[in-house]
Amino acid sequence: MSERERPLPHEADPAEPAGSGDPAAEAEHDTAARRPGGLEGHTPEPEPGAKAAREASGPLAEPDAEEDEDEADPLARAQRERDEYLDLARRAQADFENYRKRAAREAAAAGERAKAGLVRELLPVLDNLERALGSAQPGEEHLSDGVRLVHSELVGVLARAGVEGFDPAGQPFDPERHEALSTRPAQDGAGSGVVLDVVERGYTLNGAVLRPARVVVSG
């Protein structure tokens, strides 16, 4: 090769890679290769943390089909909301109806208890009026007539309230309706366990025993 054909020191050989022969260029080339982007045409390796995060996150959540349908069809969404509100209204109406019936039953039971308490307070008054009529002496008709009038009016008021009296004389003793005060030997062929005398009449309220009859039973 002649002196004319030999390349000058500062000219780069086309067959030689860029940066070869120049220490500064080679250092810059190595630094670019180590960067995240790398050299042109070189795909960088994914960072370990990013890959683990993608695997942990799992597949993306698919949108709810019902929400998509509602967004696509406003009429379907309105009908679904209407059905929900109607069902809620029916449940509220059923709860209110049950509450109304329960309150009515409790009010009726409270009224019956109050009436029973009042009648129990009046029964001794009725007993005293009957004793007064039984002990009336001849010549006291004007007093006995007044007592009899008060007695009949009180009996009528109690009857309209569902109160009825009963006299079990001569009937078999019933512990659910009678209260035995004493026993006495049977007379006139009466068997044992028969009501001989009635000290106080018994009373019922709407068919239920309000006060048992107080009686003397044959022994």
Side-chain angles (χ1 to χ4, degrees):
M1 180 181 294
S2 62
E3 294 295 334
R4 185 66 179 173
E5 294 176 353
R6 183 177 301 171
L8 295 177
H10 62 274
E11 295 180 353
D13 190 355
E16 194 173 326
S20 61
D22 188 354
E26 290 181 358
E28 183 179 356
H29 178 76
D30 294 341
T31 303
R34 287 193 298 269
R35 287 174 183 167
L39 296 176
E40 183 178 358
H42 175 72
T43 303
E45 291 292 333
E47 297 182 3
K51 183 177 180 181
R54 286 197 301 270
E55 293 178 354
S57 63
L60 295 177
E62 297 183 358
D64 192 354
E66 186 176 355
E67 293 181 358
D68 292 345
E69 183 181 355
D70 290 346
E71 292 178 358
D73 190 357
L75 179 59
R77 180 178 59 186
Q79 290 176 347
R80 181 174 59 83
E81 293 178 353
R82 178 204 61 187
D83 295 339
E84 292 177 356
Y85 288 133
L86 286 176
D87 184 62
L88 180 62
R90 292 190 187 99
R91 288 199 300 268
Q93 184 178 7
D95 292 341
F96 177 76
E97 187 66 19
N98 292 334
Y99 166 76
R100 187 185 64 81
K101 293 179 180 179
R102 183 172 64 253
R105 289 194 301 268
E106 292 176 354
E112 289 295 323
R113 289 193 297 269
K115 183 166 65 174
L118 178 60
V119 171
R120 287 193 183 95
E121 295 292 332
L122 293 176
L123 290 181
V125 178
L126 192 59
D127 294 335
N128 291 332
L129 292 175
E130 292 176 353
R131 293 189 184 97
L133 290 175
S135 62
Q137 300 297 324
E140 298 178 348
E141 288 79 6
H142 60 288
L143 294 177
S144 61
D145 290 343
V147 173
R148 189 174 292 106
L149 180 60
V150 174
H151 176 268
S152 63
E153 290 181 353
L154 182 56
V155 169
V157 171
L158 295 178
R160 287 191 293 273
V163 179
E164 295 181 358
F166 61 92
D167 188 340
Q171 299 177 5
F173 178 76
D174 184 355
E176 294 184 357
R177 296 172 58 88
H178 310 150
E179 179 182 352
L181 298 180
S182 62
T183 58
R184 195 172 65 214
Q187 297 177 355
D188 300 332
S192 178
V194 177
V195 176
L196 299 178
D197 294 324
V198 178
V199 179
E200 287 182 355
R201 299 179 65 195
Y203 290 90
T204 60
L205 176 61
N206 296 327
V209 176
L210 182 62
R211 190 186 74 177
R214 297 179 178 178
V215 298
V216 177
V217 185
S218 61

